[in-house]
């Protein structure tokens, strides 16, 4: 279709879970609202939509004349392009580069494996027990990318490390109780750093670690690596937050709106280390200077292309890659 | 004098009441103008009745006459549509059985009000019954740690009576309390009632057994179609001659002769092939292998020929019910069973039915009637797959409706409303529904389990006629009954069941009642 | 056995009964609105403003009605599924699992035949859904009919099993490798169910309506329907009436599962087009509410489903319009259901009053 | 790798996780014993959990928080009870309504109160017997390294066993679920017994939510119960409506649930989806084995109506 610039007055975001879920959904919504404020663009939020057919909500948004809809879940990557094609409203999907169409469909690649790699390097340098845990709530592409990135970083930093990978189960992003039980077990296996990927469920992991640390005074405390957001505002969490793989959509969103106005909408926006789309959070916890150096070295290695981090999005691939890296 | 018609009866009633008020202490309960209407059915019609302290009032009437409805109203189960009740001179309108109990009115219900899973002791405790001499006498043969479910039907009935008696109520309402009791137990109950009489406590005794009513009651009230139609009392301690006829007349309407004249119908038709007809049922060394039972039939052998009624008498729970189910294919067994020469060993109820076996269950409400379905549907059941009822699996609604209307008329089912839920029928009418649906199938062998239980005299006769008609048509009947007299009255040959074993089978004409009743109690 | 006893023998005249459902539903709606207003006021929102926005969005925009019908379609189908079981005295709480497994089967099967054209795709997905739904109900049915194991618990358990099993399958063996997120191969729009005119409603609603009519008729007018109801009302009497009770218990649960499966296939063939790992529409409970709302009548499933469908749509679009948390609509929905159950309260109160007055 | 350490943790964590389930299932069992099927425990747990959380935070006291939960449960359970007895509302419909409303209201209020904040409570202290844990291998932590609430809850639930079998209140409850007409005929108000039982079920459901939030997790999240209220219904039946057996069933369920992560961590090549099936399949197998003993109260789910009671007996 012929591309023409439009003035963007309002944008919308649709999310599967609650906008206050302390994770994926919240980060997208918060970032879009920030961009909206900066650019003086209205932001409509439709949250908690699950994975049912969201077309009526998209239609409802379209009837409110939004100029762009951010479909903030990889689970929406088929319904949104279909909708865009039918209604002519531009949409942004996640993790589906195949779907892009000039003027209609753009794609965000939240391939956080590079930042996760750095987190892995950090964990490898900081672990004293040599055992590091990963706890995931389900196995969506975003988590999978990070799992493999983290594992590769860990392996590079500490080849003899042991990695304990556990999944709480399908769709348990907010099942804090189950996450807590799983994390307890990971801690029992001797992990002293836990890389946890979950939304609300992350608090179950944090509680498990807090309690574990309280129960074992005198031992080096277990620390937590978070994803997506910054929980250091929470005092209790801050005490054990080693770092977080931060997602920052603001640049991508700003760029998209600009592209829409310029008539160049419809590309793949990749969030990576170099453009600041993903990053590591600096927290108040003291880390060794060697660790800081190793992470910096890894970062330049990635930026120079000397280090290639695998990009693995599917669950099977994750299992395979982990077995290669950490054979038992 | 049978009182028929509306007005005079009430006038006479009122007169009698006034007269009595003068000579006796004032009534404990006084019912005036009580009417109860159930969606169009007048179950109680302008009832006026008093019960004095120490009095034993018998309440008689055919099935559906409204006896239980009156009991329900007095018990606080249901409110009358119109009318006034006074207890001890004060107006009484109970909201619940609790209210009635507070006023000293306790009831033993026709179908019981026991919790199957509780032990006897727990059941008594639940009902706030003090364990006094009366209770200990009534329940002396009962293992009180057993659950109600494990009791025999008779024991359950005793417990139901004890539950009500144990509250030492001012007024005791007994709704058909003796339907499954043995003679000795009935006598025990009568002792209790006599004690109550001397203590000035009143008893209302609902029954279909005229003899019992005459034996214990100070006054007998007859209900018919919801109304009180007659009231009798003994003169100088004795019931006048012809009382029975008068009672029957009042209960069933103008023609009491219909009740006695039927004797001919229930006896074998002269020239019918009884005794030497072809073998309809042959049973060899049958052992029941069904689910656990108190007594399961073992080693039963039996031959039944066309044209005869074979009665198997036994105290409830001795294995007759199980035997009936075995013979109709509802319980599995070892041994040989054949009907009209077709071997049916190892087959199920459908094959038995296919071979012409009919079955009239002894648990009318539990496994006979589907309470929330219409009379029409209940009449159809068991035949629903037959030619006339369906085509290509689709019910033939009109044919079914017509058949139902026919059978309702033929059997005099009341109320004659095909669409009414069968659960609202009185016991006698339920039994008519079940009988009707067995008999249209023209069974070669009909197994009837306690078919007259709870039925009024006329319905009992109707059932007896139905059984005999099966035999007279060339079929055979197995009559399982707890009532030895009934067994002797209706059968051609009779045997007794005790602890799962069947006694030798002999001609009824030559049977020794005393011996059989001993067999029933202790075996042979 | 838990037997539903919503239908009891009523002492009211039929005429009085007929006029009430509308009144009762209105009262229920008012009650739930009041309950919602209380919550809103306590938390400092303006109820008038919220409800104004709500009506504007749901009633005054034409898309609302279309969407209500779309949402009602699977509810009607699952409602029929629950009804079949309930009428046989069985509690199939496993609709969710049956829907999931059937949807996965339908999606996979349909994707295999996309070259064969529309009718083949429809037929394949439908058959796959029916079979998979039935198969998923099979263990519970066998356990119930053969061993008397309570189906309430087994069907709930099999829901969880279905959730994890389908997730595993769609992340692994059945995944469409051309996309990153775990889902099956997409069935193109052109191959899915046709839309009715220029609307979002699709042929599924016709299937659902036909199903309602068919099942309603079969329950009333066929031998099998009659026998099934007898089994549900009084299994012991059914056995005495020569009805193969176990076969009916088994059959009812399996057929219920198959119909539940149809709802899964319907979703794949209409709105979804693909099975996704995290999709779990959770129709089961709503379907149960629906059946009891409809007082176990087949016909009444239709208005009931439309009402619940409207609420489902409302919960999706209204929060934004009213500026409040979507969770709020749970409050409205919940109180609506509870108060829809309360016509009996009204009736009970009325009955009590008449009783008192007479005396 | 230290398998015994993993096993010890799996067990300890299973014991803790089974407590809310046990409480809720016991409540459900009592309600069902009286003939009331309550599909609304999930909603009750969530509401009570939220309130308990807020109260515990505001008063800085776990105990007061724990008391608030049952109080909410009492209110909700009584409301439910009134609807299904006096109002004769359908139990299934009201139960589903309660779950929907409770889930919605708790989520709504949580956001109203805390926005995008997530306060955390301290769950690490209050373990009187922790020092004994090291003396016993494998099961030590499960037995001794537990919060005092765990012991209190277990004792409380086990005491309910004799209450059901030995006291008049228990007798009334049991009788009402089996034969409400018999209870009515005995002069006891059926609806009062049922109301009492549903109120008690509410109290236990509320306590379950409070324990989950305040003791086990230390925080509330919308939907934090994740279906525990429904599992409780299954466990109540599996436990044959007897507190002791319900407790055992909850414990077994907890252990099976912990087994999944245990296997994963121990390196068994099972993935995450299959072990998660274990507790659910376990329940089915257990039901199959116990089938001869699992009987539902005869009047379960039926509103008591005196007018039709005589036909149903
Ligand atoms: N709950 C009810 N709803 C509708 N009709 C009823 C109800 N209870 C009783 N009836 C009807 O009222 C009439 C009187 O019944 P009732 O049970 O009082 O008779 P009964 O004299 O006790 O008979 P039986 O000797 O068989 O016990 C019958 O026609 C019966 O069908
Ligand atoms: N289990 C029940 N389910 C539904 N409604 C019931 C139940 N039991 C009683 N009711 C109704 O509740 C109301 C009050 O019940 P009931 O008359 O038994 O109270 P009560 O125990 O007699 O109390 P009180 O003596 O204080 O009036 C009546 O309308 C009755 O029909
Ligand atoms: Mg009677
Ligand atoms: Mg009767």
């Amino acid at each position: 279709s012929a591309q023409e610039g439009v003035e963007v007055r309002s944008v919308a975001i649709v999310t599967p879970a609650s906008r206050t879920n302390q994770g994926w959904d919240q980060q997208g919504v918060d970032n879009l609202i920030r961009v909206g404020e900066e650019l003086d663009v209205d932001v409509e939020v439709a949250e908690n939509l699950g994975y049912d057919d969201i077309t009526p909500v998209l239609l409802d948004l379209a009837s409110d004349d939004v100029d762009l809809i951010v479909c903030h879940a990889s689970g929406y990557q088929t319904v949104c392009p279909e909708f865009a094609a039918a209604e002519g409203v531009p949409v942004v999907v996640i993790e589906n580069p195949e779907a892009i169409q000039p003027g209609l469909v753009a794609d965000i690649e939240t391939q956080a494996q590079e930042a996760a790699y750095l987190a892995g390097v950090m964990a490898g340098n900081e672990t004293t027990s040599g055992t590091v845990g990963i706890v995931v709530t389900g196995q969506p592409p975003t988590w999978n990318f990070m799992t493999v990135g983290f594992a590769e970083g860990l392996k590079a930093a500490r080849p003899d490390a042991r990695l304990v990978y556990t999944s709480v189960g399908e769709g348990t992003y907010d099942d804090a109780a189950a996450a807590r039980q799983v994390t307890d077990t990971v801690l029992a296996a001797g992990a002293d750093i836990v890389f946890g990927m979950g939304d609300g469920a992350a608090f179950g992991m944090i509680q498990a670690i807090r309690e574990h640390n309280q129960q074992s005074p005198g031992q080096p405390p277990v620390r937590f690596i978070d994803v997506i957001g910054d929980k250091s505002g929470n005092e209790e969490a801050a005490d054990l937050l080693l770092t977080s793989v931060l997602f920052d959509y603001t640049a991508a969103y700003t760029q998209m709106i600009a592209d829409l106005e310029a008539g160049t909408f419809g590309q793949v926006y990749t969030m990576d280390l170099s453009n600041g789309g993903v990053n590591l959070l600096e927290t108040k916890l003291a880390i060794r200077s060697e660790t800081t150096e190793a992470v910096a070295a890894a970062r330049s290695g990635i930026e120079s292309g000397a280090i290639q981090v695998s990009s693995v999005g599917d669950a099977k691939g994750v299992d395979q890659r982990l077995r290669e890296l950490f054979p038992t | 004098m049978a009182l028929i018609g509306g007005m005079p009866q009430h006038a006479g009633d009122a007169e009698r009441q006034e007269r009595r008020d003068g000579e006796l202490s004032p009534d404990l309960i006084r019912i005036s103008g009580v009417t109860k209407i159930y969606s169009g059915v007048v179950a109680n019609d302008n009832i006026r009745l008093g019960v004095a302290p120490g009095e034993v009032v018998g309440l008689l009437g055919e099935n559906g006459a409204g006896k239980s409805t009156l009991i329900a109203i007095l018990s606080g189960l249901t409110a009358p549509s119109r009318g006034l009740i006074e207890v001890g001179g004060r107006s009484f309108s109970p909201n619940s059985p609790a209210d009635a109990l507070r006023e000293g009115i306790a009831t033993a219900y026709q179908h019981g009000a026991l919790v199957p899973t509780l032990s006897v002791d727990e059941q008594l405790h639940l009902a706030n019954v003090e364990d006094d001499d009366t209770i200990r006498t009534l329940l002396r043969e009962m293992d009180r740690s057993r659950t109600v479910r494990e009791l025999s039907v008779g024991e359950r009935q005793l417990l139901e009576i004890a539950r009500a008696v144990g509250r030492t109520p001012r007024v005791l309402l007994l709704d058909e309390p003796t339907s499954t009791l043995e003679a000795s137990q009935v006598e025990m109950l009568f002792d209790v009632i006599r004690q109550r009489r001397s203590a000035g406590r009143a008893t209302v005794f609902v029954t279909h057994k005229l003899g019992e009513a005459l034996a214990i009651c100070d006054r007998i009230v007859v209900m018919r179609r919801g109304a009180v139609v007659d009231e009798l009392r003994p003169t100088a301690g004795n019931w006048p001659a012809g009382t029975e006829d008068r009672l029957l007349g009042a209960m069933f309407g103008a023609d009491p002769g219909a009740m006695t004249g039927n004797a001919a119908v229930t006896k074998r038709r002269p020239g019918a092939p009884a005794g030497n007809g072809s073998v309809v049922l042959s049973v060899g060394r049958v052992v029941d292998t069904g689910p656990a039972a108190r007594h399961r039939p073992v080693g039963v052998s039996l031959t039944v020929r066309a044209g005869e009624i074979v009665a198997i008498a036994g105290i409830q729970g001795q294995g007759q019910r199980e035997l009936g189910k075995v013979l109709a294919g509802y319980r599995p067994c070892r041994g040989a069973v054949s009907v009209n020469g077709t071997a049916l060993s190892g087959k199920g109820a459908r094959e038995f039915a296919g071979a012409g076996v009919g079955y009239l269950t002894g648990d009318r409400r539990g496994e006979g009637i589907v309470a929330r379905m219409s009379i029409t549907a209940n009449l159809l059941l068991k035949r629903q797959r037959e030619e006339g009822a369906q085509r290509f699996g689709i019910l033939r609604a009109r044919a079914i409706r017509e058949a139902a209307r026919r059978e309702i008329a033929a059997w005099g089912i009341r109320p004659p409303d095909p669409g009414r839920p069968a659960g609202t029928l009185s016991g006698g009418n339920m039994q008519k529904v079940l009988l009707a649906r067995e008999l249209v199938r023209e069974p070669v062998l009909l197994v009837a389990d306690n078919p007259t239980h709870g039925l009024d005299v006329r319905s009992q006769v109707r059932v007896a006629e139905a059984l005999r008609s099966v035999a007279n048509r060339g079929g055979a009947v197995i009559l399982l009954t707890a009532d030895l007299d009934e067994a002797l009255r209706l059968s051609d040959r009779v045997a007794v069941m005790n602890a799962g074993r069947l006694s030798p089978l002999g001609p009824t004409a030559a049977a020794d009642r005393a011996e059989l009743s001993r067999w029933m109690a202790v075996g042979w | 056995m838990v037997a539903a006893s919503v239908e009891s023998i009523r002492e009211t005249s039929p005429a009085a009964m007929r006029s009430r459902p509308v009144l009762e539903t209105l009262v229920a709606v008012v009650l739930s609105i009041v309950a919602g207003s209380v919550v809103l006021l306590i938390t400092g929102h303006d109820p008038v403003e919220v409800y104004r926005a709500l009506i504007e969005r749901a009633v005054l925009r034409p898309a609302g009605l279309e969407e209500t019908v779309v949402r009602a379609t699977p509810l009607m189908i699952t409602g029929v599924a629950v009804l079949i079981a309930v009428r046989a005295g069985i509690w199939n709480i496993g609709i969710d699992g049956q829907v999931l497994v059937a949807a996965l089967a339908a999606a996979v099967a349909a994707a295999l035949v996309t070259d064969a054209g529309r009718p083949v795709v429809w037929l394949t997905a439908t058959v796959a859904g029916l079979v998979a739904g039935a198969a998923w109900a099979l263990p519970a049915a066998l356990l119930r009919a053969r061993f008397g194991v309570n189906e309430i618990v087994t069907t709930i358990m099999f829901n969880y099993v279905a959730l994890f099993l389908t997730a595993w399958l769609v992340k692994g063996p059945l995944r469409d490798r051309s996309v990153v997120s775990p889902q099956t191969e997409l069935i193109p729009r052109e191959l899915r169910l046709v839309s009715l005119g220029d609307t979002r409603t699709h042929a599924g609603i016709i299937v659902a309506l036909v199903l309602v009519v068919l099942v309603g008729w079969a329950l009333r007018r066929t031998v099998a329907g009659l026998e099934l109801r007898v089994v549900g009302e009084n299994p012991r009497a059914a056995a005495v009436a020569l009805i193969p009770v176990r076969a009916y218990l088994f059959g009812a649960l399996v057929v219920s599962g198959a119909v539940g499966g149809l709802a899964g296939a319907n979703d794949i063939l209409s709105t979804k087009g693909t099975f996704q790992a995290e999709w779990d529409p959770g129709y089961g409970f709503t379907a149960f509410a629906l059946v009891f709302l409809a007082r176990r009548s087949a016909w009444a499933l239709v208005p009931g489903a439309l009402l619940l469908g409207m609420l489902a749509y409302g919960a999706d679009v209204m929060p934004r319009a009213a500026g409040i948390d979507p969770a709020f609509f749970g409050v409205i929905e919940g109180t609506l259901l509870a108060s829809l159950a309360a016509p009996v309260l009204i009736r009970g109160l009325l009955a009590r009053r008449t009783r008192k007055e007479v005396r | 790798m230290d398998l015994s350490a993993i096993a010890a943790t799996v067990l300890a964590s299973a014991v803790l996780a089974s407590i809310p389930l046990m409480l809720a299932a016991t409540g459900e069992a009592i309600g069902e014993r009286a003939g009331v099927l309550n599909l609304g425990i999930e909603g009750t747990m969530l509401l009570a959990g939220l309130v308990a959380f807020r109260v515990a935070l505001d008063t800085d006291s776990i105990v007061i928080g724990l008391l608030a939960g049952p109080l909410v449960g009492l209110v909700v359970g009584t409301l439910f009870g009134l609807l299904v007895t006096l109002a004769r509302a359908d139990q299934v419909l009201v139960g589903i309504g309660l779950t929907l409303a409770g889930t919605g209201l708790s989520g709504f209020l949580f956001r109203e109160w805390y926005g995008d904040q997530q306060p955390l409570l301290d769950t690490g202290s209050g373990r009187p017997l922790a020092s004994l844990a090291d003396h016993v291998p494998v099961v030590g932590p499960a037995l001794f390294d537990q919060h005092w609430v765990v012991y209190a809850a277990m004792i409380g639930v086990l005491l309910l066993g004799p209450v059901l079998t030995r006291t008049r209140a228990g007798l009334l409850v049991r009788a009402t679920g089996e034969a409400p007409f018999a209870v009515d005929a005995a002069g006891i108000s059926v609806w009062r017994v049922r109301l009492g039982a549903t109120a008690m079920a509410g109290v236990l459901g509320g306590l379950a939510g409070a324990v989950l939030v305040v003791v086990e997790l230390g925080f509330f999240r919308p939907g934090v119960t994740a279906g525990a209220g429904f599992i409780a219904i299954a466990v109540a039946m599996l436990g044959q409506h007897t507190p002791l057996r319900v407790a055992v069933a909850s414990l077994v369920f907890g252990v099976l649930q912990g087994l999944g992560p245990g296997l994963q961590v121990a390196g068994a090549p099972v993935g995450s989806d299959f072990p998660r099936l274990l507790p659910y399949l376990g329940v089915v197998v257990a039901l199959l084995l116990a089938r001869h003993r699992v009987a539902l109260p005869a009047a379960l789910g039926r509103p008591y109506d005196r007018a039709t009671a005589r036909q149903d007996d």
Side-chain angles (χ1 to χ4, degrees), chain C residues 288-329:
Chain C
F288 248 90
L290 172 60
V291 166
F292 283 82
L293 203 57
R295 311 208 176 134
R296 312 201 314 161
S297 137
W299 325 115
L301 289 177
V302 176
L306 287 171
L307 177 72
L308 294 175
M310 190 166 79
L311 277 177
Y313 173 65
D316 271 357
V317 295
M318 287 172 213
R320 198 168 59 82
I324 47 165
D325 191 296
F328 172 75
F329 287 89

Side-chain angles (χ1 to χ4, degrees), chain B residues 81 95 330 372 384 395, chain C residues 7 221 227 236 240 355 358:
Chain B
S81 312
N95 247 331
Y330 292 106
R372 289 195 292 186
Q384 68 273 13
L395 294 170
Chain C
E7 295 170 329
R221 294 276 178 232
E227 295 191 337
R236 288 170 61 212
V240 167
R355 234 171 72 176
V358 166

Side-chain angles (χ1 to χ4, degrees), chain B residues 126-347:
Chain B
L126 175 75
N128 281 317
V129 168
E130 296 290 326
D131 201 356
D132 61 11
D133 281 345
T134 316
I135 298 299
R136 272 192 291 274
T137 315
L138 279 174
L139 304 184
R140 65 169 175 255
E141 281 172 1
M142 215 178 283
D143 173 1
R144 299 235 217 143
S145 62
R146 275 196 307 173
T147 60
V148 171
R149 178 177 285 147
E150 292 162 342
L151 300 179
S152 72
V153 184
E155 286 175 316
R156 257 179 253 169
Q157 191 155 32
L158 267 187
L159 181 58
E160 173 69 13
I161 294 168
R163 190 182 63 70
V165 168
R167 309 271 301 221
T168 41
R170 286 199 284 175
V171 181
L172 174 66
L173 309 175
L174 299 171
D175 196 351
E176 299 190 29
T178 61
S179 54
T180 59
L181 296 189
E182 295 159 41
S184 62
Q185 295 170 322
V186 172
E187 204 36 57
M188 210 154 67
L189 170 63
F190 284 1
D191 281 342
V192 172
I193 294 177
R194 283 185 206 105
Q195 278 164 27
R196 288 179 53 81
R197 173 154 50 199
S198 49
R201 300 198 183 96
T203 305
V204 175
F205 181 53
V206 179
T207 186
H208 288 296
K209 303 182 180 175
L210 300 193
E212 288 177 0
L214 295 173
I216 191 73
C217 296
D218 304 322
R219 180 158 57 109
I220 294 179
V221 174
V222 180
M223 287 180 73
R224 178 164 155 71
R225 304 210 171 165
V228 172
V229 292
D230 201 358
E231 205 176 314
L232 288 86
R233 55 179 74 238
T235 43
N238 290 313
W239 293 97
T243 299
E244 286 206 19
D245 279 347
R246 177 166 157 189
L247 287 173
L248 290 170
M251 283 163 73
F252 302 107
D255 181 19
M259 249 65 59
T260 42
N262 59 57
V265 196
T266 59
K267 281 285 168 271
R268 191 178 327 129
R269 177 161 51 90
N276 46 22
S278 60
V279 172
V280 167
L281 172 73
S282 138
V283 178
R285 299 179 168 280
V286 154
V287 177
D288 167 84
T289 55
R294 237 151 70 84
H295 289 292
R296 48 169 84 237
V298 280
V300 173
S301 298
L302 183 66
T303 303
V304 180
R305 290 175 184 277
E308 69 173 345
I309 296 180
V310 169
I312 297 177
I315 298 166
Q316 301 267 0
Q318 294 294 313
Q320 315 91 289
R321 175 155 296 177
E322 287 72 20
L323 180 62
K325 295 209 158 191
V326 165
L327 297 183
Y330 292 106
R331 280 176 77 91
C333 66
R334 281 199 313 271
V337 182
S338 66
V339 171
N340 263 358
T342 317
L344 288 171
S345 311
K347 295 287 187 347

Side-chain angles (χ1 to χ4, degrees), chain B residues 76 94-99 102, chain C residues 348-349 351-352 355-356, chain D residues 81-89 176 180 184 187-192 194 302-307:
Chain B
N95 247 331
S96 65
D99 291 350
R102 258 192 297 280
Chain C
L349 289 175
R352 197 183 163 91
R355 234 171 72 176
K356 283 255 157 80
Chain D
L82 283 173
L83 279 172
V84 300
T85 56
L86 285 186
R88 303 190 196 178
T176 304
D184 197 9
I188 298 146
S189 159
V190 168
W191 70 267
R192 282 185 196 166
R194 289 196 167 164
R302 296 165 174 258
Y304 176 62
D305 187 351
R306 201 175 281 149

